[in-house]
Amino acid sequence: MKSVFSHINRSLSLKLCLGILLFVVVVFVLSLGFLFERSRQIVKQEAMARATQILSNTAQRVTSYLDEVETSTNNMEWLVLQNLQPDSLLNYTRRVVKLNPNINGCSITLEPNFFPQYGRNFSVYSLRDADSIASVYEQPYDYYDKVWYKTPRQLNEACWVDPFNDFNEGTLSSPVMIASYCKPMRNCDGDFIGVISTDLSITWFSSTISSGKLSPNSYCLMLGSDGSYFVHPDRQKLVKESIYSLVDARQNADIIALGHEMTSGKKGNMRVFINGKPCIVFYQPLKGTPWSIAMVCPEHEISSGYNRLIYILVPLLIVGLVLMLVVCWKIIKHFIKPLDQLSQQSRYITDGHFDKMLPLSNRPDVIGHLQNSFVAMQQSINEHVSNIQQVNDETEKRNSELLTANALLEDADQRKASFIHDVSLQIRTPLNIIAGFMQVLRETFTLLPEEEVASFTMTMKQNSDTIQRMSNMIFDVSRLENSQKVDVSKEVVVTDVVREAILSFEEKDPTDVVLNVTNPLPDDYVVHTSRLYMHRVLCELLINAKKFATKKQVDLVIEVTDDVLRFIVEDKGEGITEAEREHVFSPFVKLDSFSEGLGLGLGLSQQYARLLGGTLILDSTYTDGARFIFDIPCI
């Protein structure tokens, strides 16, 4: 025994080894408990954070699909209101189902006797069946008390309704339970006319929500606004049972509290006992719906990572303490060697070699920590250098964007100046003409023959009309928007509007251009539209055609079908080149800078046509000049 103590006393490395070992043992004994407890908390927190993130990702994924359904339905509403025809409605429902693979079906149902030829009820429905889509006019059935029709009508707003069985005797029905996004439709007078309903199957909800789980024995569920199960691993509970049913309020108060939290739209987690086993339930509402989803995880699986950590760390710590006594003296002998490596690496960094990284050290002593800290410092330096480079690249990108924006501003300024100059020139010319003739009439009125006075006044009127036309254009282009509504409910006699447009054409110079009119309509033929905008479009097309009709001929052809009244205006001239066609309806753009006008007429005419519910296009197949086709609904 004395010889052992004597050997220890003589060996500095052994004394250092024993001293370090004794210190480490004391530290381990004092900190091991804290370390394990802290580790357990961290592992549990990470697991719960991961579960919350998984649930949040699932909710976002489901919400994004629901947003797609809402967007498709909202976009279709505009088309439906613009074209309330039975065949069109059927095609719209089929289009929504075809373009959205997650949608199970889509229907449009209207108020009683909306289409008298179809009877009291009218409903069109498209249903996805595997890879095919069935679209039908549904057989008559009383759908006015159905939840998907009654709820949005009462709420007067779009909403999601709880899943329901779609089966109706004698109608096309979904074989699975569905949840529907229902949007009420109102006409331009604000009257309720029907409902657009887009369906998602419960099977789709179940597969989407259950795709993300924290552990093998965890599962997901979904509750409705009243706590009913819409998604649950036990399919017998779907819709028939709720989270409150078959639960003793005294023994299962935690489950009752969980149900109230979820149905009230709150987000969080709660520890509950399910079938006598402790579980952590993570819950979150689905944005824009009265529903809530949850992920149920057994509590022991939440801490499974911590248990695995103990099984790994305890043996490692024991083995490490034993090996430390054996190798400690070697560590001390080679203590200087790692410092040399750090010194050499420092010289590399001084020379600018930031990419030459030291490997991470597995040593638990201060040298290992120093080496790992050095590696972290290198990584930080590399990140800062990379960030600086990224900032430089971003700065160059922003400079490029600023140059582009500046060029656009300069172009806009040039167009503005050009437009103002053109406005001044176009208005000054007729004003000078009017002023000149006014002076002539004032000085020589009694000396001039009546024919010449009439000619002067006609010329003054023409130029006054030109100024008024330009003023109307400038006013309209400053206030007109695509979303503006116009009254198209008034009856307009088409032949009267055509006569007025022809009169404006004949008054406009030059006077030697021939206008050929083909009008098969009777004198009392009427349409429901805006007389003002219809007249402006026709006048603009005829005057524009007269201006460019180099062969002195303009044709106006009127055609009518079941649902469209069409005006075709074509001139015999040089036409419009392919490069100019894409700018022909652009505002402030003149294809001929020497011609009369402000470059606003065709662009405004196209907007007028759109406000009338119609279209104005340039026929690119016509090569003898220019042909414009103006369509409005024939109602």
Side-chain angles (χ1 to χ4, degrees):
M1 181 66 70
K2 290 183 179 180
S3 60
V4 173
F5 284 107
S6 178
H7 179 69
I8 294 174
N9 191 42
R10 289 194 305 266
S11 175
L12 178 60
S13 60
L14 189 54
K15 286 194 296 184
L16 290 174
C17 248
L18 291 176
I20 293 173
L21 183 60
L22 290 174
F23 176 78
V24 170
V25 169
V26 172
V27 173
F28 278 4
V29 170
L30 295 176
S31 62
L32 191 58
F34 173 80
L35 175 63
F36 281 177
E37 177 62 24
R38 183 59 180 166
S39 299
R40 184 184 69 82
Q41 295 177 359
I42 293 176
V43 171
K44 185 176 181 179
Q45 290 174 359
E46 290 179 350
M48 294 183 69
R50 188 158 59 92
T52 302
Q53 185 62 44
I54 292 174
L55 184 65
S56 178
N57 292 341
T58 301
Q60 290 179 3
R61 185 165 60 252
V62 174
T63 301
S64 66
Y65 291 150
L66 298 181
D67 289 343
E68 290 180 6
V69 173
E70 295 179 9
T71 301
S72 300
T73 306
N74 295 337
N75 290 341
M76 183 176 65
E77 180 192 16
W78 182 85
L79 295 174
V80 170
L81 294 177
Q82 291 296 321
N83 195 6
L84 282 169
Q85 300 295 329
D87 291 340
S88 299
L89 300 184
L90 186 65
N91 290 333
Y92 291 152
T93 61
R94 183 179 184 88
R95 179 181 178 185
V96 170
V97 178
K98 182 178 180 181
L99 296 180
N100 298 272
N102 295 320
I103 291 179
N104 189 66
C106 180
S107 68
I108 300 177
T109 51
L110 301 177
E111 284 285 86
N113 301 315
F114 192 87
F115 293 122
Q117 66 271 30
Y118 287 89
R120 182 175 185 271
N121 303 323
F122 180 82
S123 176
V124 292
Y125 187 38
S126 294
L127 177 66
R128 185 184 304 280
D129 183 9
D131 295 332
S132 62
I133 300 174
S135 300
V136 298
Y137 293 92
E138 295 196 276
Q139 295 297 322
Y141 74 99
D142 190 8
Y143 52 76
Y144 303 108
D145 290 330
K146 297 293 185 181
V147 64
W148 51 267
Y149 191 90
K150 179 172 62 177
T151 301
R153 184 178 185 182
Q154 293 176 345
L155 297 177
N156 195 26
E157 63 181 13
C159 62
W160 284 94
V161 297
D162 291 347
F164 57 90
N165 191 331
D166 187 46
F167 178 76
N168 295 287
E169 186 69 32
T171 65
L172 180 64
S173 301
S174 173
V176 296
M177 297 194 67
I178 58 176
S180 297
Y181 175 71
C182 306
K183 184 172 183 63
M185 296 186 296
R186 296 189 176 275
N187 59 20
C188 60
D189 296 327
D191 299 327
F192 177 83
I193 62 173
V195 171
I196 304 174
S197 178
T198 309
D199 308 327
L200 291 175
S201 68
I202 287 296
T203 304
W204 177 86
F205 274 106
S206 181
S207 61
T208 302
I209 293 174
S210 301
S211 60
K213 297 194 301 182
L214 179 65
S215 61
N217 294 321
S218 62
Y219 61 91
C220 296
L221 56 86
M222 174 178 168
L223 299 184
S225 57
D226 59 352
S228 299
Y229 290 112
F230 295 159
V231 175
H232 196 280
D234 185 359
R235 294 186 176 274
Q236 295 181 354
K237 294 185 177 182
L238 296 181
V239 180
K240 300 178 181 178
E241 296 185 15
S242 73
I243 195 172
Y244 307 113
S245 62
L246 304 179
V247 173
D248 190 322
R250 290 177 296 179
Q251 296 181 359
N252 303 105
D254 51 352
I255 295 181
I256 299 295
L258 174 63
H260 287 300
E261 287 283 309
M262 293 182 65
T263 54
S264 62
K266 295 182 179 180
K267 176 181 179 181
N269 60 78
M270 183 179 294
R271 185 175 185 267
V272 298
F273 283 85
I274 300 178
N275 297 327
K277 297 180 180 180
C279 298
I280 304 295
V281 180
F282 303 86
Y283 53 91
Q284 179 175 340
L286 286 176
K287 183 180 179 181
T289 72
W291 309 324
S292 182
I293 62 174
M295 182 166 58
V296 181
C297 302
E299 190 174 34
H300 71 275
E301 292 186 0
I302 295 289
S303 303
S304 60
Y306 169 73
N307 297 331
R308 290 193 299 268
L309 179 65
I310 294 177
Y311 298 148
I312 295 173
L313 285 181
V314 171
L316 287 177
L317 290 174
I318 295 174
V319 172
L321 290 173
V322 174
L323 292 178
M324 187 178 296
L325 182 61
V326 177
V327 301
C328 186
W329 64 276
K330 293 184 178 180
I331 295 174
I332 295 174
K333 287 184 178 180
H334 295 282
F335 187 85
I336 303 300
K337 184 177 180 180
L339 293 178
D340 290 339
Q341 292 179 345
L342 293 178
S343 177
Q344 183 180 3
Q345 192 68 16
S346 298
R347 289 194 295 271
Y348 285 148
I349 293 177
T350 303
D351 295 337
H353 302 292
F354 300 105
D355 55 339
K356 294 183 179 180
M357 302 290 296
L358 273 177
L360 289 172
S361 174
N362 295 324
R363 294 173 55 171
D365 58 12
V366 66
I367 299 303
H369 289 300
L370 179 60
Q371 184 169 340
N372 290 337
S373 299
F374 193 88
V375 172
M377 181 188 68
Q378 283 186 286
Q379 293 174 348
S380 178
I381 292 174
N382 283 334
E383 290 178 1
H384 283 299
V385 172
S386 177
N387 289 337
I388 292 173
Q389 183 62 41
Q390 184 178 358
V391 169
N392 290 337
D393 294 341
E394 190 69 21
T395 302
E396 292 181 1
K397 180 181 178 181
R398 292 290 182 267
N399 290 337
S400 177
E401 293 176 351
L402 288 174
L403 290 176
T404 302
N406 187 50
L408 292 175
L409 287 174
E410 291 180 355
D411 180 67
D413 287 340
Q414 291 178 358
R415 291 179 61 184
K416 176 182 177 182
S418 177
F419 176 72
I420 293 174
H421 177 268
D422 205 10
V423 168
S424 302
L425 180 63
Q426 296 292 337
I427 292 180
R428 185 171 65 247
T429 299
L431 283 176
N432 290 338
I433 294 174
I434 294 173
F437 280 114
M438 283 290 296
Q439 183 176 358
V440 171
L441 290 174
R442 185 175 64 251
E443 296 176 354
T444 61
F445 178 76
T446 57
L447 303 177
L448 294 175
E450 293 183 359
E451 295 81 1
E452 193 168 354
V453 171
S455 176
F456 285 178
T457 56
M458 178 59 69
T459 302
M460 292 168 63
K461 180 181 181 303
Q462 291 176 353
N463 285 273
S464 176
D465 291 342
T466 299
I467 295 175
Q468 182 178 8
R469 175 168 164 264
M470 292 182 183
S471 300
N472 289 335
M473 287 183 181
I474 296 173
F475 176 73
D476 283 350
V477 81
S478 66
R479 67 177 179 87
L480 201 58
E481 298 179 356
N482 292 334
S483 60
Q484 182 177 346
K485 301 294 184 180
V486 298
D487 184 9
V488 294
S489 61
K490 295 182 180 179
E491 290 187 351
V492 176
V493 180
V494 176
T495 304
D496 291 346
V497 178
V498 172
R499 289 195 187 102
E500 293 177 5
I502 293 174
L503 182 60
S504 299
F505 175 89
E506 293 173 348
E507 292 177 351
K508 186 70 177 177
D509 288 331
T511 58
D512 57 345
V513 178
V514 178
L515 175 62
N516 300 320
V517 181
T518 304
N519 182 10
L521 302 179
D523 290 343
D524 59 349
Y525 184 82
V526 298
V527 294
H528 291 82
T529 187
S530 170
R531 178 188 184 94
L532 173 63
Y533 285 166
M534 179 180 175
H535 176 263
R536 286 185 179 181
V537 175
L538 284 178
C539 286
E540 181 62 33
L541 293 179
L542 290 175
I543 293 174
N544 190 70
K546 187 174 186 178
K547 182 166 49 177
F548 294 102
T550 57
K551 296 184 180 180
K552 307 303 180 181
Q553 179 179 337
V554 175
D555 295 327
L556 170 61
V557 180
I558 304 175
E559 299 176 353
V560 64
T561 63
D562 292 338
D563 55 358
V564 172
L565 176 62
R566 172 168 293 177
F567 300 91
I568 302 174
V569 178
E570 59 185 43
D571 61 73
K572 307 295 183 181
E574 297 181 358
I576 301 174
T577 65
E578 184 175 353
E580 295 172 337
R581 289 173 187 168
E582 60 179 289
H583 304 294
V584 71
F585 293 109
S586 299
F588 310 113
V589 175
K590 295 177 60 176
L591 303 182
D592 183 1
S593 59
F594 298 100
S595 64
E596 178 186 334
L598 302 177
L600 298 175
L602 291 177
L604 284 172
S605 296
Q606 191 178 59
Q607 293 193 51
Y608 295 153
R610 189 181 298 113
L611 291 174
L612 296 177
T615 59
L616 174 61
I617 63 172
L618 171 66
D619 187 357
S620 59
T621 62
Y622 184 71
T623 58
D624 292 338
R627 174 189 289 164
F628 290 88
I629 301 176
F630 170 38
D631 290 346
I632 59 173
C634 182
I635 57 175

